[in-house]
Amino acid sequence: TLTRSYPVYSGMTDALVQGLLLGGYYAVLAAGLSLMFGVMRIINLAHGDLAMLGAYGVLALVLQGGWSPWAALVVVLPAMAALGTLLQRFVLARTLRAGLLLPLLVTFGLGTLLQNALYGGFGSEARSLADALGPLAWASWTLPGDLIVGQLPVLTFVLAVVVLAGLQALLGSTRLGRAIRAAASDPEAAALCGIDAARVHRAAAAIAVA
């Protein structure tokens, strides 16, 4: 009985481990989405497309510019933060004045625009940075029970934990974080305390998009 159940147990363990590692990546995306909603009450339907834009930004610098993926990441992250600031200042802030429906329509349109632009620029083929990452892309550890875990997914998960812990520290222990939480919980009271809501919204959008 034990022998027969072992493959099922092994397959279940593998699925749990791989799901946990992939969950770290999705948790970072969800944190950005929930941050923007919590502060500005905007459901950003273009959030996934903005993440894809950042990924293709790294891809373009690596494949066309010959950059290291890590150097490209250092450039793309601030660029995405700047894009989030501009998006909030010139698009989202204006749509919020017209109610809750218009931001949904605008972000949906923005997502469609980004999808078609990236499709026109890069095509529909799957792209990978495996060659640029070198051995890290394929390296793995073999754990007890013949469980194989890739080093890159583990690195992604660790970075996700670091990012989420940093975001938690930012929101809980800094002046900007307290301003963001105040503006999210009670915008009117925050304004009476001298908190610039527009500045807080731009900061939150920059963090969310990055």
mmCIF file with all atom_site columns, all heavy atoms in Angstrom, residues 36 38-42 84-85 88-89 92-93 96 176 179-180 183-184 187 196-208:
data_model
loop_
_atom_site.group_PDB
_atom_site.id
_atom_site.type_symbol
_atom_site.label_atom_id
_atom_site.label_alt_id
_atom_site.label_comp_id
_atom_site.label_asym_id
_atom_site.label_entity_id
_atom_site.label_seq_id
_atom_site.pdbx_PDB_ins_code
_atom_site.Cartn_x
_atom_site.Cartn_y
_atom_site.Cartn_z
_atom_site.occupancy
_atom_site.B_iso_or_equiv
_atom_site.pdbx_formal_charge
_atom_site.auth_seq_id
_atom_site.auth_comp_id
_atom_site.auth_asym_id
_atom_site.auth_atom_id
_atom_site.pdbx_PDB_model_num
ATOM 1   N N   . MET A 1 36  ? -3.106  49.883 -4.934  1.00 0.00 ? 36  MET A N   1
ATOM 2   C CA  . MET A 1 36  ? -3.773  50.931 -5.694  1.00 0.00 ? 36  MET A CA  1
ATOM 3   C C   . MET A 1 36  ? -5.262  50.980 -5.356  1.00 0.00 ? 36  MET A C   1
ATOM 4   O O   . MET A 1 36  ? -5.846  52.061 -5.223  1.00 0.00 ? 36  MET A O   1
ATOM 5   C CB  . MET A 1 36  ? -3.560  50.718 -7.193  1.00 0.00 ? 36  MET A CB  1
ATOM 6   C CG  . MET A 1 36  ? -4.072  51.862 -8.055  1.00 0.00 ? 36  MET A CG  1
ATOM 7   S SD  . MET A 1 36  ? -3.587  51.736 -9.793  1.00 0.00 ? 36  MET A SD  1
ATOM 8   C CE  . MET A 1 36  ? -1.840  52.135 -9.664  1.00 0.00 ? 36  MET A CE  1
ATOM 9   N N   . GLY A 1 38  ? -6.638  49.921 -2.500  1.00 0.00 ? 38  GLY A N   1
ATOM 10  C CA  . GLY A 1 38  ? -6.829  50.333 -1.117  1.00 0.00 ? 38  GLY A CA  1
ATOM 11  C C   . GLY A 1 38  ? -6.669  51.819 -0.907  1.00 0.00 ? 38  GLY A C   1
ATOM 12  O O   . GLY A 1 38  ? -7.365  52.414 -0.081  1.00 0.00 ? 38  GLY A O   1
ATOM 13  N N   . VAL A 1 39  ? -5.772  52.452 -1.654  1.00 0.00 ? 39  VAL A N   1
ATOM 14  C CA  . VAL A 1 39  ? -5.509  53.879 -1.462  1.00 0.00 ? 39  VAL A CA  1
ATOM 15  C C   . VAL A 1 39  ? -6.464  54.729 -2.284  1.00 0.00 ? 39  VAL A C   1
ATOM 16  O O   . VAL A 1 39  ? -7.023  55.724 -1.804  1.00 0.00 ? 39  VAL A O   1
ATOM 17  C CB  . VAL A 1 39  ? -4.050  54.204 -1.819  1.00 0.00 ? 39  VAL A CB  1
ATOM 18  C CG1 . VAL A 1 39  ? -3.791  55.710 -1.715  1.00 0.00 ? 39  VAL A CG1 1
ATOM 19  C CG2 . VAL A 1 39  ? -3.103  53.457 -0.901  1.00 0.00 ? 39  VAL A CG2 1
ATOM 20  N N   . MET A 1 40  ? -6.656  54.366 -3.559  1.00 0.00 ? 40  MET A N   1
ATOM 21  C CA  . MET A 1 40  ? -7.419  55.233 -4.466  1.00 0.00 ? 40  MET A CA  1
ATOM 22  C C   . MET A 1 40  ? -8.778  54.676 -4.864  1.00 0.00 ? 40  MET A C   1
ATOM 23  O O   . MET A 1 40  ? -9.528  55.325 -5.588  1.00 0.00 ? 40  MET A O   1
ATOM 24  C CB  . MET A 1 40  ? -6.588  55.489 -5.732  1.00 0.00 ? 40  MET A CB  1
ATOM 25  C CG  . MET A 1 40  ? -5.367  56.337 -5.479  1.00 0.00 ? 40  MET A CG  1
ATOM 26  S SD  . MET A 1 40  ? -4.225  56.353 -6.874  1.00 0.00 ? 40  MET A SD  1
ATOM 27  C CE  . MET A 1 40  ? -3.330  54.826 -6.602  1.00 0.00 ? 40  MET A CE  1
ATOM 28  N N   . ARG A 1 41  ? -9.067  53.450 -4.407  1.00 0.00 ? 41  ARG A N   1
ATOM 29  C CA  . ARG A 1 41  ? -10.327 52.790 -4.764  1.00 0.00 ? 41  ARG A CA  1
ATOM 30  C C   . ARG A 1 41  ? -10.454 52.620 -6.277  1.00 0.00 ? 41  ARG A C   1
ATOM 31  O O   . ARG A 1 41  ? -11.530 52.777 -6.852  1.00 0.00 ? 41  ARG A O   1
ATOM 32  C CB  . ARG A 1 41  ? -11.537 53.570 -4.220  1.00 0.00 ? 41  ARG A CB  1
ATOM 33  C CG  . ARG A 1 41  ? -11.559 53.692 -2.710  1.00 0.00 ? 41  ARG A CG  1
ATOM 34  C CD  . ARG A 1 41  ? -11.672 52.334 -2.039  1.00 0.00 ? 41  ARG A CD  1
ATOM 35  N NE  . ARG A 1 41  ? -11.813 52.431 -0.603  1.00 0.00 ? 41  ARG A NE  1
ATOM 36  C CZ  . ARG A 1 41  ? -10.818 52.383 0.269   1.00 0.00 ? 41  ARG A CZ  1
ATOM 37  N NH1 . ARG A 1 41  ? -9.573  52.246 -0.178  1.00 0.00 ? 41  ARG A NH1 1
ATOM 38  N NH2 . ARG A 1 41  ? -11.024 52.466 1.557   1.00 0.00 ? 41  ARG A NH2 1
ATOM 39  N N   . ILE A 1 42  ? -9.320  52.313 -6.912  1.00 0.00 ? 42  ILE A N   1
ATOM 40  C CA  . ILE A 1 42  ? -9.291  52.077 -8.354  1.00 0.00 ? 42  ILE A CA  1
ATOM 41  C C   . ILE A 1 42  ? -8.994  50.609 -8.601  1.00 0.00 ? 42  ILE A C   1
ATOM 42  O O   . ILE A 1 42  ? -7.996  50.080 -8.095  1.00 0.00 ? 42  ILE A O   1
ATOM 43  C CB  . ILE A 1 42  ? -8.219  52.945 -9.049  1.00 0.00 ? 42  ILE A CB  1
ATOM 44  C CG1 . ILE A 1 42  ? -8.619  54.418 -9.015  1.00 0.00 ? 42  ILE A CG1 1
ATOM 45  C CG2 . ILE A 1 42  ? -8.022  52.497 -10.499 1.00 0.00 ? 42  ILE A CG2 1
ATOM 46  C CD1 . ILE A 1 42  ? -7.577  55.337 -9.615  1.00 0.00 ? 42  ILE A CD1 1
ATOM 47  N N   . GLY A 1 84  ? 4.088   54.861 -13.427 1.00 0.00 ? 84  GLY A N   1
ATOM 48  C CA  . GLY A 1 84  ? 2.962   54.846 -12.497 1.00 0.00 ? 84  GLY A CA  1
ATOM 49  C C   . GLY A 1 84  ? 2.631   56.232 -11.983 1.00 0.00 ? 84  GLY A C   1
ATOM 50  O O   . GLY A 1 84  ? 1.447   56.600 -11.862 1.00 0.00 ? 84  GLY A O   1
ATOM 51  N N   . THR A 1 85  ? 3.664   57.035 -11.699 1.00 0.00 ? 85  THR A N   1
ATOM 52  C CA  . THR A 1 85  ? 3.442   58.405 -11.243 1.00 0.00 ? 85  THR A CA  1
ATOM 53  C C   . THR A 1 85  ? 2.746   59.226 -12.315 1.00 0.00 ? 85  THR A C   1
ATOM 54  O O   . THR A 1 85  ? 1.772   59.953 -12.038 1.00 0.00 ? 85  THR A O   1
ATOM 55  C CB  . THR A 1 85  ? 4.788   59.059 -10.880 1.00 0.00 ? 85  THR A CB  1
ATOM 56  O OG1 . THR A 1 85  ? 5.426   58.294 -9.856  1.00 0.00 ? 85  THR A OG1 1
ATOM 57  C CG2 . THR A 1 85  ? 4.580   60.482 -10.379 1.00 0.00 ? 85  THR A CG2 1
ATOM 58  N N   . GLN A 1 88  ? -0.897  58.129 -12.817 1.00 0.00 ? 88  GLN A N   1
ATOM 59  C CA  . GLN A 1 88  ? -1.778  58.641 -11.772 1.00 0.00 ? 88  GLN A CA  1
ATOM 60  C C   . GLN A 1 88  ? -2.039  60.132 -11.927 1.00 0.00 ? 88  GLN A C   1
ATOM 61  O O   . GLN A 1 88  ? -3.172  60.593 -11.802 1.00 0.00 ? 88  GLN A O   1
ATOM 62  C CB  . GLN A 1 88  ? -1.158  58.351 -10.398 1.00 0.00 ? 88  GLN A CB  1
ATOM 63  C CG  . GLN A 1 88  ? -1.792  59.093 -9.241  1.00 0.00 ? 88  GLN A CG  1
ATOM 64  C CD  . GLN A 1 88  ? -3.263  58.813 -9.073  1.00 0.00 ? 88  GLN A CD  1
ATOM 65  O OE1 . GLN A 1 88  ? -3.726  57.746 -9.472  1.00 0.00 ? 88  GLN A OE1 1
ATOM 66  N NE2 . GLN A 1 88  ? -4.002  59.735 -8.498  1.00 0.00 ? 88  GLN A NE2 1
ATOM 67  N N   . ARG A 1 89  ? -0.990  60.883 -12.226 1.00 0.00 ? 89  ARG A N   1
ATOM 68  C CA  . ARG A 1 89  ? -1.128  62.344 -12.269 1.00 0.00 ? 89  ARG A CA  1
ATOM 69  C C   . ARG A 1 89  ? -1.966  62.824 -13.444 1.00 0.00 ? 89  ARG A C   1
ATOM 70  O O   . ARG A 1 89  ? -2.798  63.726 -13.287 1.00 0.00 ? 89  ARG A O   1
ATOM 71  C CB  . ARG A 1 89  ? 0.266   62.979 -12.329 1.00 0.00 ? 89  ARG A CB  1
ATOM 72  C CG  . ARG A 1 89  ? 0.224   64.500 -12.345 1.00 0.00 ? 89  ARG A CG  1
ATOM 73  C CD  . ARG A 1 89  ? 1.600   65.089 -12.169 1.00 0.00 ? 89  ARG A CD  1
ATOM 74  N NE  . ARG A 1 89  ? 1.549   66.544 -12.089 1.00 0.00 ? 89  ARG A NE  1
ATOM 75  C CZ  . ARG A 1 89  ? 2.615   67.318 -11.872 1.00 0.00 ? 89  ARG A CZ  1
ATOM 76  N NH1 . ARG A 1 89  ? 3.814   66.762 -11.716 1.00 0.00 ? 89  ARG A NH1 1
ATOM 77  N NH2 . ARG A 1 89  ? 2.486   68.623 -11.811 1.00 0.00 ? 89  ARG A NH2 1
ATOM 78  N N   . LEU A 1 92  ? -5.373  58.834 -14.157 1.00 0.00 ? 92  LEU A N   1
ATOM 79  C CA  . LEU A 1 92  ? -6.254  58.285 -13.137 1.00 0.00 ? 92  LEU A CA  1
ATOM 80  C C   . LEU A 1 92  ? -6.841  59.362 -12.233 1.00 0.00 ? 92  LEU A C   1
ATOM 81  O O   . LEU A 1 92  ? -8.013  59.288 -11.850 1.00 0.00 ? 92  LEU A O   1
ATOM 82  C CB  . LEU A 1 92  ? -5.508  57.242 -12.298 1.00 0.00 ? 92  LEU A CB  1
ATOM 83  C CG  . LEU A 1 92  ? -4.996  56.031 -13.073 1.00 0.00 ? 92  LEU A CG  1
ATOM 84  C CD1 . LEU A 1 92  ? -4.255  55.079 -12.148 1.00 0.00 ? 92  LEU A CD1 1
ATOM 85  C CD2 . LEU A 1 92  ? -6.147  55.315 -13.769 1.00 0.00 ? 92  LEU A CD2 1
ATOM 86  N N   . ALA A 1 93  ? -6.044  60.355 -11.870 1.00 0.00 ? 93  ALA A N   1
ATOM 87  C CA  . ALA A 1 93  ? -6.549  61.411 -10.990 1.00 0.00 ? 93  ALA A CA  1
ATOM 88  C C   . ALA A 1 93  ? -7.720  62.143 -11.629 1.00 0.00 ? 93  ALA A C   1
ATOM 89  O O   . ALA A 1 93  ? -8.658  62.557 -10.946 1.00 0.00 ? 93  ALA A O   1
ATOM 90  C CB  . ALA A 1 93  ? -5.426  62.388 -10.647 1.00 0.00 ? 93  ALA A CB  1
ATOM 91  N N   . LEU A 1 96  ? -10.971 59.865 -11.688 1.00 0.00 ? 96  LEU A N   1
ATOM 92  C CA  . LEU A 1 96  ? -11.623 59.684 -10.392 1.00 0.00 ? 96  LEU A CA  1
ATOM 93  C C   . LEU A 1 96  ? -12.668 60.761 -10.125 1.00 0.00 ? 96  LEU A C   1
ATOM 94  O O   . LEU A 1 96  ? -13.618 60.545 -9.373  1.00 0.00 ? 96  LEU A O   1
ATOM 95  C CB  . LEU A 1 96  ? -10.579 59.683 -9.275  1.00 0.00 ? 96  LEU A CB  1
ATOM 96  C CG  . LEU A 1 96  ? -9.836  58.367 -9.041  1.00 0.00 ? 96  LEU A CG  1
ATOM 97  C CD1 . LEU A 1 96  ? -8.739  58.554 -8.015  1.00 0.00 ? 96  LEU A CD1 1
ATOM 98  C CD2 . LEU A 1 96  ? -10.802 57.288 -8.603  1.00 0.00 ? 96  LEU A CD2 1
ATOM 99  N N   . LEU A 1 176 ? 5.889   58.105 4.996   1.00 0.00 ? 176 LEU A N   1
ATOM 100 C CA  . LEU A 1 176 ? 5.113   57.910 3.779   1.00 0.00 ? 176 LEU A CA  1
ATOM 101 C C   . LEU A 1 176 ? 4.093   56.795 3.964   1.00 0.00 ? 176 LEU A C   1
ATOM 102 O O   . LEU A 1 176 ? 2.936   56.928 3.533   1.00 0.00 ? 176 LEU A O   1
ATOM 103 C CB  . LEU A 1 176 ? 6.047   57.581 2.608   1.00 0.00 ? 176 LEU A CB  1
ATOM 104 C CG  . LEU A 1 176 ? 5.366   57.211 1.287   1.00 0.00 ? 176 LEU A CG  1
ATOM 105 C CD1 . LEU A 1 176 ? 4.498   58.362 0.787   1.00 0.00 ? 176 LEU A CD1 1
ATOM 106 C CD2 . LEU A 1 176 ? 6.396   56.813 0.240   1.00 0.00 ? 176 LEU A CD2 1
ATOM 107 N N   . ALA A 1 179 ? 1.199   57.980 5.938   1.00 0.00 ? 179 ALA A N   1
ATOM 108 C CA  . ALA A 1 179 ? 0.363   58.864 5.120   1.00 0.00 ? 179 ALA A CA  1
ATOM 109 C C   . ALA A 1 179 ? -0.499  58.055 4.159   1.00 0.00 ? 179 ALA A C   1
ATOM 110 O O   . ALA A 1 179 ? -1.678  58.369 3.945   1.00 0.00 ? 179 ALA A O   1
ATOM 111 C CB  . ALA A 1 179 ? 1.248   59.845 4.356   1.00 0.00 ? 179 ALA A CB  1
ATOM 112 N N   . ILE A 1 180 ? 0.078   57.015 3.579   1.00 0.00 ? 180 ILE A N   1
ATOM 113 C CA  . ILE A 1 180 ? -0.677  56.157 2.661   1.00 0.00 ? 180 ILE A CA  1
ATOM 114 C C   . ILE A 1 180 ? -1.821  55.466 3.393   1.00 0.00 ? 180 ILE A C   1
ATOM 115 O O   . ILE A 1 180 ? -2.961  55.430 2.914   1.00 0.00 ? 180 ILE A O   1
ATOM 116 C CB  . ILE A 1 180 ? 0.254   55.119 2.009   1.00 0.00 ? 180 ILE A CB  1
ATOM 117 C CG1 . ILE A 1 180 ? 1.203   55.799 1.022   1.00 0.00 ? 180 ILE A CG1 1
ATOM 118 C CG2 . ILE A 1 180 ? -0.558  54.037 1.296   1.00 0.00 ? 180 ILE A CG2 1
ATOM 119 C CD1 . ILE A 1 180 ? 2.230   54.868 0.415   1.00 0.00 ? 180 ILE A CD1 1
ATOM 120 N N   . ALA A 1 183 ? -4.539  58.075 4.264   1.00 0.00 ? 183 ALA A N   1
ATOM 121 C CA  . ALA A 1 183 ? -5.330  58.465 3.088   1.00 0.00 ? 183 ALA A CA  1
ATOM 122 C C   . ALA A 1 183 ? -6.251  57.335 2.646   1.00 0.00 ? 183 ALA A C   1
ATOM 123 O O   . ALA A 1 183 ? -7.337  57.582 2.111   1.00 0.00 ? 183 ALA A O   1
ATOM 124 C CB  . ALA A 1 183 ? -4.408  58.866 1.951   1.00 0.00 ? 183 ALA A CB  1
ATOM 125 N N   . ALA A 1 184 ? -5.823  56.084 2.874   1.00 0.00 ? 184 ALA A N   1
ATOM 126 C CA  . ALA A 1 184 ? -6.659  54.955 2.481   1.00 0.00 ? 184 ALA A CA  1
ATOM 127 C C   . ALA A 1 184 ? -7.838  54.757 3.426   1.00 0.00 ? 184 ALA A C   1
ATOM 128 O O   . ALA A 1 184 ? -8.950  54.447 2.990   1.00 0.00 ? 184 ALA A O   1
ATOM 129 C CB  . ALA A 1 184 ? -5.808  53.688 2.435   1.00 0.00 ? 184 ALA A CB  1
ATOM 130 N N   . PRO A 1 187 ? -9.768  59.588 3.909   1.00 0.00 ? 187 PRO A N   1
ATOM 131 C CA  . PRO A 1 187 ? -9.168  60.670 3.127   1.00 0.00 ? 187 PRO A CA  1
ATOM 132 C C   . PRO A 1 187 ? -9.463  62.060 3.681   1.00 0.00 ? 187 PRO A C   1
ATOM 133 O O   . PRO A 1 187 ? -8.591  62.941 3.680   1.00 0.00 ? 187 PRO A O   1
ATOM 134 C CB  . PRO A 1 187 ? -9.783  60.482 1.735   1.00 0.00 ? 187 PRO A CB  1
ATOM 135 C CG  . PRO A 1 187 ? -10.250 59.073 1.694   1.00 0.00 ? 187 PRO A CG  1
ATOM 136 C CD  . PRO A 1 187 ? -10.644 58.734 3.095   1.00 0.00 ? 187 PRO A CD  1
ATOM 137 N N   . ASP A 1 196 ? -1.102  65.587 1.888   1.00 0.00 ? 196 ASP A N   1
ATOM 138 C CA  . ASP A 1 196 ? -1.394  65.896 0.487   1.00 0.00 ? 196 ASP A CA  1
ATOM 139 C C   . ASP A 1 196 ? -1.843  64.613 -0.203  1.00 0.00 ? 196 ASP A C   1
ATOM 140 O O   . ASP A 1 196 ? -1.026  63.746 -0.519  1.00 0.00 ? 196 ASP A O   1
ATOM 141 C CB  . ASP A 1 196 ? -0.155  66.481 -0.182  1.00 0.00 ? 196 ASP A CB  1
ATOM 142 C CG  . ASP A 1 196 ? -0.425  66.966 -1.606  1.00 0.00 ? 196 ASP A CG  1
ATOM 143 O OD1 . ASP A 1 196 ? -1.516  66.680 -2.121  1.00 0.00 ? 196 ASP A OD1 1
ATOM 144 O OD2 . ASP A 1 196 ? 0.456   67.625 -2.177  1.00 0.00 ? 196 ASP A OD2 1
ATOM 145 N N   . ALA A 1 197 ? -3.143  64.493 -0.449  1.00 0.00 ? 197 ALA A N   1
ATOM 146 C CA  . ALA A 1 197 ? -3.692  63.264 -1.021  1.00 0.00 ? 197 ALA A CA  1
ATOM 147 C C   . ALA A 1 197 ? -3.128  63.000 -2.414  1.00 0.00 ? 197 ALA A C   1
ATOM 148 O O   . ALA A 1 197 ? -2.846  61.850 -2.769  1.00 0.00 ? 197 ALA A O   1
ATOM 149 C CB  . ALA A 1 197 ? -5.210  63.346 -1.070  1.00 0.00 ? 197 ALA A CB  1
ATOM 150 N N   . ALA A 1 198 ? -2.956  64.054 -3.213  1.00 0.00 ? 198 ALA A N   1
ATOM 151 C CA  . ALA A 1 198 ? -2.448  63.867 -4.577  1.00 0.00 ? 198 ALA A CA  1
ATOM 152 C C   . ALA A 1 198 ? -1.039  63.289 -4.554  1.00 0.00 ? 198 ALA A C   1
ATOM 153 O O   . ALA A 1 198 ? -0.704  62.388 -5.327  1.00 0.00 ? 198 ALA A O   1
ATOM 154 C CB  . ALA A 1 198 ? -2.470  65.195 -5.324  1.00 0.00 ? 198 ALA A CB  1
ATOM 155 N N   . ARG A 1 199 ? -0.208  63.796 -3.657  1.00 0.00 ? 199 ARG A N   1
ATOM 156 C CA  . ARG A 1 199 ? 1.154   63.283 -3.541  1.00 0.00 ? 199 ARG A CA  1
ATOM 157 C C   . ARG A 1 199 ? 1.161   61.835 -3.066  1.00 0.00 ? 199 ARG A C   1
ATOM 158 O O   . ARG A 1 199 ? 1.929   61.015 -3.575  1.00 0.00 ? 199 ARG A O   1
ATOM 159 C CB  . ARG A 1 199 ? 1.949   64.155 -2.578  1.00 0.00 ? 199 ARG A CB  1
ATOM 160 C CG  . ARG A 1 199 ? 3.398   63.738 -2.409  1.00 0.00 ? 199 ARG A CG  1
ATOM 161 C CD  . ARG A 1 199 ? 4.098   64.638 -1.412  1.00 0.00 ? 199 ARG A CD  1
ATOM 162 N NE  . ARG A 1 199 ? 5.467   64.201 -1.180  1.00 0.00 ? 199 ARG A NE  1
ATOM 163 C CZ  . ARG A 1 199 ? 6.282   64.743 -0.279  1.00 0.00 ? 199 ARG A CZ  1
ATOM 164 N NH1 . ARG A 1 199 ? 5.840   65.746 0.479   1.00 0.00 ? 199 ARG A NH1 1
ATOM 165 N NH2 . ARG A 1 199 ? 7.512   64.297 -0.130  1.00 0.00 ? 199 ARG A NH2 1
ATOM 166 N N   . VAL A 1 200 ? 0.306   61.526 -2.105  1.00 0.00 ? 200 VAL A N   1
ATOM 167 C CA  . VAL A 1 200 ? 0.220   60.151 -1.607  1.00 0.00 ? 200 VAL A CA  1
ATOM 168 C C   . VAL A 1 200 ? -0.242  59.218 -2.703  1.00 0.00 ? 200 VAL A C   1
ATOM 169 O O   . VAL A 1 200 ? 0.283   58.102 -2.870  1.00 0.00 ? 200 VAL A O   1
ATOM 170 C CB  . VAL A 1 200 ? -0.734  60.082 -0.397  1.00 0.00 ? 200 VAL A CB  1
ATOM 171 C CG1 . VAL A 1 200 ? -1.039  58.635 -0.032  1.00 0.00 ? 200 VAL A CG1 1
ATOM 172 C CG2 . VAL A 1 200 ? -0.122  60.806 0.799   1.00 0.00 ? 200 VAL A CG2 1
ATOM 173 N N   . HIS A 1 201 ? -1.215  59.641 -3.481  1.00 0.00 ? 201 HIS A N   1
ATOM 174 C CA  . HIS A 1 201 ? -1.715  58.807 -4.581  1.00 0.00 ? 201 HIS A CA  1
ATOM 175 C C   . HIS A 1 201 ? -0.642  58.556 -5.622  1.00 0.00 ? 201 HIS A C   1
ATOM 176 O O   . HIS A 1 201 ? -0.524  57.438 -6.148  1.00 0.00 ? 201 HIS A O   1
ATOM 177 C CB  . HIS A 1 201 ? -2.924  59.478 -5.210  1.00 0.00 ? 201 HIS A CB  1
ATOM 178 C CG  . HIS A 1 201 ? -4.138  59.439 -4.353  1.00 0.00 ? 201 HIS A CG  1
ATOM 179 N ND1 . HIS A 1 201 ? -5.343  60.030 -4.724  1.00 0.00 ? 201 HIS A ND1 1
ATOM 180 C CD2 . HIS A 1 201 ? -4.370  58.893 -3.131  1.00 0.00 ? 201 HIS A CD2 1
ATOM 181 C CE1 . HIS A 1 201 ? -6.231  59.859 -3.752  1.00 0.00 ? 201 HIS A CE1 1
ATOM 182 N NE2 . HIS A 1 201 ? -5.666  59.158 -2.793  1.00 0.00 ? 201 HIS A NE2 1
ATOM 183 N N   . ARG A 1 202 ? 0.149   59.569 -5.932  1.00 0.00 ? 202 ARG A N   1
ATOM 184 C CA  . ARG A 1 202 ? 1.229   59.373 -6.908  1.00 0.00 ? 202 ARG A CA  1
ATOM 185 C C   . ARG A 1 202 ? 2.271   58.388 -6.385  1.00 0.00 ? 202 ARG A C   1
ATOM 186 O O   . ARG A 1 202 ? 2.768   57.544 -7.118  1.00 0.00 ? 202 ARG A O   1
ATOM 187 C CB  . ARG A 1 202 ? 1.879   60.713 -7.260  1.00 0.00 ? 202 ARG A CB  1
ATOM 188 C CG  . ARG A 1 202 ? 0.998   61.628 -8.108  1.00 0.00 ? 202 ARG A CG  1
ATOM 189 C CD  . ARG A 1 202 ? 1.794   62.775 -8.704  1.00 0.00 ? 202 ARG A CD  1
ATOM 190 N NE  . ARG A 1 202 ? 2.331   63.664 -7.699  1.00 0.00 ? 202 ARG A NE  1
ATOM 191 C CZ  . ARG A 1 202 ? 1.686   64.748 -7.247  1.00 0.00 ? 202 ARG A CZ  1
ATOM 192 N NH1 . ARG A 1 202 ? 0.488   65.050 -7.717  1.00 0.00 ? 202 ARG A NH1 1
ATOM 193 N NH2 . ARG A 1 202 ? 2.232   65.535 -6.342  1.00 0.00 ? 202 ARG A NH2 1
ATOM 194 N N   . ALA A 1 203 ? 2.608   58.523 -5.096  1.00 0.00 ? 203 ALA A N   1
ATOM 195 C CA  . ALA A 1 203 ? 3.580   57.602 -4.499  1.00 0.00 ? 203 ALA A CA  1
ATOM 196 C C   . ALA A 1 203 ? 3.056   56.168 -4.502  1.00 0.00 ? 203 ALA A C   1
ATOM 197 O O   . ALA A 1 203 ? 3.783   55.224 -4.832  1.00 0.00 ? 203 ALA A O   1
ATOM 198 C CB  . ALA A 1 203 ? 3.916   58.041 -3.084  1.00 0.00 ? 203 ALA A CB  1
ATOM 199 N N   . ALA A 1 204 ? 1.781   55.998 -4.152  1.00 0.00 ? 204 ALA A N   1
ATOM 200 C CA  . ALA A 1 204 ? 1.193   54.665 -4.117  1.00 0.00 ? 204 ALA A CA  1
ATOM 201 C C   . ALA A 1 204 ? 1.138   54.059 -5.529  1.00 0.00 ? 204 ALA A C   1
ATOM 202 O O   . ALA A 1 204 ? 1.414   52.862 -5.720  1.00 0.00 ? 204 ALA A O   1
ATOM 203 C CB  . ALA A 1 204 ? -0.207  54.712 -3.534  1.00 0.00 ? 204 ALA A CB  1
ATOM 204 N N   . ALA A 1 205 ? 0.807   54.880 -6.527  1.00 0.00 ? 205 ALA A N   1
ATOM 205 C CA  . ALA A 1 205 ? 0.761   54.391 -7.905  1.00 0.00 ? 205 ALA A CA  1
ATOM 206 C C   . ALA A 1 205 ? 2.153   53.985 -8.386  1.00 0.00 ? 205 ALA A C   1
ATOM 207 O O   . ALA A 1 205 ? 2.311   52.982 -9.081  1.00 0.00 ? 205 ALA A O   1
ATOM 208 C CB  . ALA A 1 205 ? 0.174   55.447 -8.817  1.00 0.00 ? 205 ALA A CB  1
ATOM 209 N N   . ALA A 1 206 ? 3.167   54.768 -8.012  1.00 0.00 ? 206 ALA A N   1
ATOM 210 C CA  . ALA A 1 206 ? 4.538   54.436 -8.414  1.00 0.00 ? 206 ALA A CA  1
ATOM 211 C C   . ALA A 1 206 ? 4.961   53.100 -7.821  1.00 0.00 ? 206 ALA A C   1
ATOM 212 O O   . ALA A 1 206 ? 5.532   52.241 -8.507  1.00 0.00 ? 206 ALA A O   1
ATOM 213 C CB  . ALA A 1 206 ? 5.493   55.544 -7.955  1.00 0.00 ? 206 ALA A CB  1
ATOM 214 N N   . ILE A 1 207 ? 4.678   52.891 -6.540  1.00 0.00 ? 207 ILE A N   1
ATOM 215 C CA  . ILE A 1 207 ? 5.032   51.642 -5.875  1.00 0.00 ? 207 ILE A CA  1
ATOM 216 C C   . ILE A 1 207 ? 4.256   50.475 -6.488  1.00 0.00 ? 207 ILE A C   1
ATOM 217 O O   . ILE A 1 207 ? 4.811   49.401 -6.760  1.00 0.00 ? 207 ILE A O   1
ATOM 218 C CB  . ILE A 1 207 ? 4.756   51.734 -4.368  1.00 0.00 ? 207 ILE A CB  1
ATOM 219 C CG1 . ILE A 1 207 ? 5.649   52.792 -3.737  1.00 0.00 ? 207 ILE A CG1 1
ATOM 220 C CG2 . ILE A 1 207 ? 4.968   50.383 -3.687  1.00 0.00 ? 207 ILE A CG2 1
ATOM 221 C CD1 . ILE A 1 207 ? 5.288   53.120 -2.298  1.00 0.00 ? 207 ILE A CD1 1
ATOM 222 N N   . ALA A 1 208 ? 2.964   50.678 -6.724  1.00 0.00 ? 208 ALA A N   1
ATOM 223 C CA  . ALA A 1 208 ? 2.113   49.613 -7.243  1.00 0.00 ? 208 ALA A CA  1
ATOM 224 C C   . ALA A 1 208 ? 2.561   49.163 -8.625  1.00 0.00 ? 208 ALA A C   1
ATOM 225 O O   . ALA A 1 208 ? 2.647   47.965 -8.909  1.00 0.00 ? 208 ALA A O   1
ATOM 226 C CB  . ALA A 1 208 ? 0.657   50.069 -7.288  1.00 0.00 ? 208 ALA A CB  1
#
